[in-house]
């Protein structure tokens, strides 16, 4: 059961609910989490839970909004201090990995929402997060090309897709192994390959035959 003070404001209660769902998602399939599970872990009744969230979908939307807000805020903070576009990309990568390690339930909720066929509010928040994130990465890649750090023929969209895909891959492997902390060791090695791919000179065109 999640420990809590004797009195919480409505906003604090909503935040606690979000944290509870993320904690539960680290332990079980997010799709199987019920409002009973959430209320039990919080030590409240379902009726008390529904005073702050009318439906489970509303809870999931709040979870995705929490993830999107916290992730983008952390990324923006580290990007502001990065000395170069490539340094910014690496710092963003490691920062994202660190957030996954600290909140392993968050990506599980994200993956679950993205797999849903119906356009739920939570799914739309997840899609908007990925679109915003990808655009930020494309700008960094563009800046890196202009600064001469990245190969001039680097495809910005493909690089952003690869960046996000690497984090998703590391997350899936860590969740499968049951040791999310291994991501901290694997992330620098993975990013090194990414850096090599983006900074490698373009292959020479094939020589024409005689």
């Amino acid at each position: 059961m999640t420990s809590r003070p004797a009195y919480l404001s409505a906003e604090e209660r909503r935040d606690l609910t979000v944290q509870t769902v993320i904690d539960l998602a680290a332990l079980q399939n997010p799709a199987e989490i019920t409002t009973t599970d959430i209320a039990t872990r919080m030590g409240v009744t379902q009726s008390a839970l529904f005073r702050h969230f009318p439906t489970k979908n509303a809870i999931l939307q709040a979870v995705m909004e929490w993830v999107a807000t916290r992730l983008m805020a952390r990324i923006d903070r580290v990007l502001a201090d990065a000395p170069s576009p490539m340094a910014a990309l690496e710092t963003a990568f490691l920062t994202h990995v660190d957030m996954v390690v600290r909140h392993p339930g968050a990506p599980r909720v994200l993956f679950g929402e993205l797999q849903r066929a119906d356009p739920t509010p939570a799914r739309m928040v997840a899609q908007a997060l990925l679109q915003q994130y990808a655009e930020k990465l494309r700008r960094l890649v563009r800046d890196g090309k202009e600064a001469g750090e990245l190969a001039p023929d680097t495809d910005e969209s493909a690089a952003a897709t690869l960046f996000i895909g690497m984090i998703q891959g590391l997350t899936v492997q860590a969740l499968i192994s049951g040791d999310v902390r291994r991501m901290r060791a694997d992330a620098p090695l993975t990013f090194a390959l990414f850096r090599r791919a983006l900074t490698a000179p373009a292959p020479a065109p094939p020589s024409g035959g005689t």
Side-chain angles (χ1 to χ4, degrees):
M1 182 184 300
T2 301
S3 61
R4 57 191 175 87
Y7 172 79
L8 293 174
S9 67
E11 182 177 356
E12 289 170 332
R13 182 77 65 186
R14 286 191 291 269
D15 287 343
L16 179 59
T17 304
V18 167
Q19 291 294 333
T20 299
V21 173
I22 292 174
D23 290 345
L24 286 170
L27 303 173
Q28 65 186 89
N29 182 351
E32 297 175 355
I33 297 173
T34 66
T35 53
T36 300
D37 295 331
I38 300 168
T40 299
R41 189 174 179 90
M42 292 175 64
V44 301
T45 64
Q46 285 197 70
S47 60
L49 186 65
F50 287 132
R51 281 201 293 271
H52 303 285
F53 295 98
T55 64
K56 181 183 174 182
N57 277 339
I59 297 175
L60 292 174
Q61 180 182 355
V63 171
M64 285 312 312
E65 289 171 348
W66 184 95
V67 172
T69 299
R70 297 304 188 281
L71 177 59
M72 286 296 96
R74 293 187 66 182
I75 295 294
D76 287 341
R77 281 198 300 271
V78 299
L79 292 186
D81 297 327
S84 69
M86 181 56 78
L89 285 166
E90 182 171 11
T91 304
F93 189 83
L94 298 179
T95 297
H96 191 156
V97 166
D98 180 71
M99 183 168 175
V100 172
V101 174
R102 292 175 183 272
H103 306 286
R108 298 189 69 178
V109 176
L110 174 64
F111 292 157
E113 288 306 310
L114 290 174
Q115 292 178 54
R116 294 180 64 164
D118 49 328
T120 64
R123 184 172 185 267
M124 289 188 285
V125 172
Q127 289 175 320
L129 166 62
L130 291 180
Q131 291 168 0
Q132 178 186 3
Y133 198 177
E135 177 55 31
K136 195 178 297 291
L137 294 171
R138 286 192 291 268
R139 288 199 301 268
L140 286 173
V141 173
R142 190 178 311 125
D143 292 343
K145 290 164 63 175
E146 294 174 356
E149 284 192 306
L150 278 63
D153 60 344
T154 300
D155 186 283
E156 296 156 17
S157 293
T161 299
L162 178 58
F163 183 104
I164 295 173
M166 290 191 303
I167 294 175
Q168 292 173 336
L170 286 172
T171 301
V172 170
Q173 289 298 319
L175 292 175
I176 290 174
S177 71
D179 183 10
V180 179
R181 293 172 298 177
R182 65 176 287 182
M183 291 180 68
R184 287 200 173 105
D186 293 342
L189 302 176
T190 303
F191 190 85
L193 293 176
F194 178 77
R195 181 194 295 110
R196 186 181 306 171
L198 269 61
T199 57
S207 56
T210 56

